[in-house]
Every structure is written in structure tokens, then in C-alpha cells.
Amino acid sequence: ISICRDLPNIEVITFSVNGISDLEPLNQCQNLSELYLRKNNITSLNELFYLKNLPRLRVLWLSENPCCGSDPHRYRMTVLRNLPSLQKLDNQAVTEEELSQALVDGEEITAPPARSVENGCPESTQSSAAESTTETASELLNFSLEETNKIREELGMKPVPRDKFSSFSPRETDCKQKTRNNVLNAILLLMKELDAEGLEIIQQVVGRRLQAFQKKELQEE
């Protein structure tokens, strides 16, 4: 998600099922209108502090994160009190009555969450590990494939067939695999910022890269 610091004009971000715990990189995305963060590792609603100054944010999907807690009403009221411009929260439309009630029942967030220094892979926390064991490999694959193909459709690319797609499974929790997926998502997002000339350069570089891989495979055979 740190790549978002370099994407101030991005409008839609889909990072569901990605082990994300920190929303600070999003606070400069002033054109962001839709943010999908379902099933991550966001532990504190104080992370909303980084979204409060995004003037165009209208859609937020934050459900199934630890920060939602055991009280759905308090959670929803707190989100709406701090993000009153939302039109849809967790795939449910926001009403004027809810926005008024949020001023009473919601908690005002005035400071970012306290950070603890962790070594190793940022997502390798006990909570995210426990979450991964409760998800079936099939569910993760279906959801990640849907998210990836949505991005590819926006870029005018063909969808990825299921048999050609790899995603997280209960065994793929190491840093190397997560880094690969994060880099792939970052590249797809960055491509949306390029014009025709930039995309042609990418096409040339990718073509040369693929030729190099094919040549290497032939030599190994």
C-alpha cells in the first residue's frame, strides 16, 4: 500500500484480502473516491484519521477487519462521524438519519493510532496469521481473482483465467509471496497513471523481458 504515496490522483483502490494494517499512505490521495479494504488486518478505527481529509471519498468497504469489533452499531456510527461524506459504507447506503445519529453515538477520532515497531514482514502478525487459517483457499482465490480482473478490465486488459491465476493460500504466508503480489498490484495501479506513450514503453520492456525468460527456458531444456 505504500505505493499509494506516489499516486495522488488515483480514484479507486481495491486492496481487499491483503494483510494491510496501516492507512497512512492514503492520506495524500486527494482524488480517491472508492476504497475497498475488506478482510485486512486493520486493528484500530484510529486509522480513519488518515482518510478524514480526502474530500472525494464516497465509498468505503472496511468490513471483516479487526477494527470493526463486536458492536456493529458503534463501528458504523464512528466511521460515519469521521467520514460524513460517505454515500456507501460496507456495501450499504448511508442515510441522513445515520449521519445525524453518528454525531451522538459515534466516537470522534482526533489522532492517528500509536505505532509499534515490528521486525520482518509487516503483515506477519498473529492476527493476520490467525485470519488466514480461518479462510479457505477457494474463497481467497475467488475473491482475489475477482479483484484482479476488475483492475484489468479498467485497464482494458483481458481477464485472467482461473487456471492461470495464483493467489494466497494457507501455505503462502511468507514475505516473498506477499511482496510479489503487492508488486503486481502496484504495477497494475501505476499503469492507470500512464498515457499512450508510457504504455508503449512498458509494452516494449515487457516484450524484451518475456523473450529473455523464454530464451532462458529453452537453454535449460
Side-chain angles (χ1 to χ4, degrees), residues 85-157:
S85 296
L86 287 180
Q87 296 176 356
K88 183 176 288 188
L89 173 60
D90 297 338
N91 208 31
Q92 181 179 342
V94 175
T95 66
E96 291 295 333
E97 291 77 9
E98 284 184 310
L99 292 175
S100 299
Q101 191 64 36
L103 297 174
V104 178
D105 296 346
E107 179 183 345
E108 179 72 17
I109 294 173
T110 58
R115 299 290 182 205
S116 60
V117 179
E118 296 181 0
N119 295 323
C121 185
E123 288 86 14
S124 297
T125 62
Q126 183 175 358
S127 296
S128 61
E131 181 184 20
S132 68
T133 60
T134 62
E135 297 288 342
T136 65
S138 177
E139 181 182 1
L140 288 176
L141 177 59
N142 289 335
F143 191 82
S144 298
L145 179 59
E146 179 183 350
E147 292 283 328
T148 298
N149 281 337
K150 180 179 180 181
I151 295 174
R152 292 174 69 89
E153 181 181 356
E154 292 173 354
L155 294 170
M157 301 167 65

Side-chain angles (χ1 to χ4, degrees), residues 38-107:
R38 174 177 169 265
K39 289 190 177 182
N40 277 286
N41 192 41
I42 301 169
T43 60
S44 171
L45 284 176
N46 281 52
E47 294 290 342
L48 296 174
F49 178 82
Y50 300 117
L51 307 181
K52 294 181 69 172
N53 294 321
L54 303 183
R56 300 185 179 182
L57 187 61
R58 297 293 181 268
V59 177
L60 175 64
W61 197 337
L62 194 60
S63 64
E64 297 176 85
N65 275 277
C67 65
C68 299
S70 57
D71 187 342
H73 177 75
R74 177 184 176 278
Y75 153 72
R76 190 172 176 87
M77 292 296 99
T78 296
V79 174
L80 295 181
R81 176 165 182 173
N82 291 277
L83 303 175
S85 296
L86 287 180
Q87 296 176 356
K88 183 176 288 188
L89 173 60
D90 297 338
N91 208 31
Q92 181 179 342
V94 175
T95 66
E96 291 295 333
E97 291 77 9
E98 284 184 310
L99 292 175
S100 299
Q101 191 64 36
L103 297 174
V104 178
D105 296 346
E107 179 183 345

Side-chain angles (χ1 to χ4, degrees), residues 1 4 7-15 23-37 50-61 83 85-86 189 192-193:
I1 194 173
C4 293
L7 299 172
N9 296 319
I10 195 167
E11 298 180 8
V12 179
I13 293 177
T14 59
F15 275 153
L23 300 186
E24 185 273 333
L26 302 177
N27 66 354
Q28 298 299 319
C29 300
Q30 293 295 297
N31 288 330
L32 187 64
S33 62
E34 298 181 29
L35 178 59
Y36 301 92
L37 293 168
Y50 300 117
L51 307 181
K52 294 181 69 172
N53 294 321
L54 303 183
R56 300 185 179 182
L57 187 61
R58 297 293 181 268
V59 177
L60 175 64
W61 197 337
L83 303 175
S85 296
L86 287 180
L189 290 169
K192 296 174 66 175
E193 302 291 315

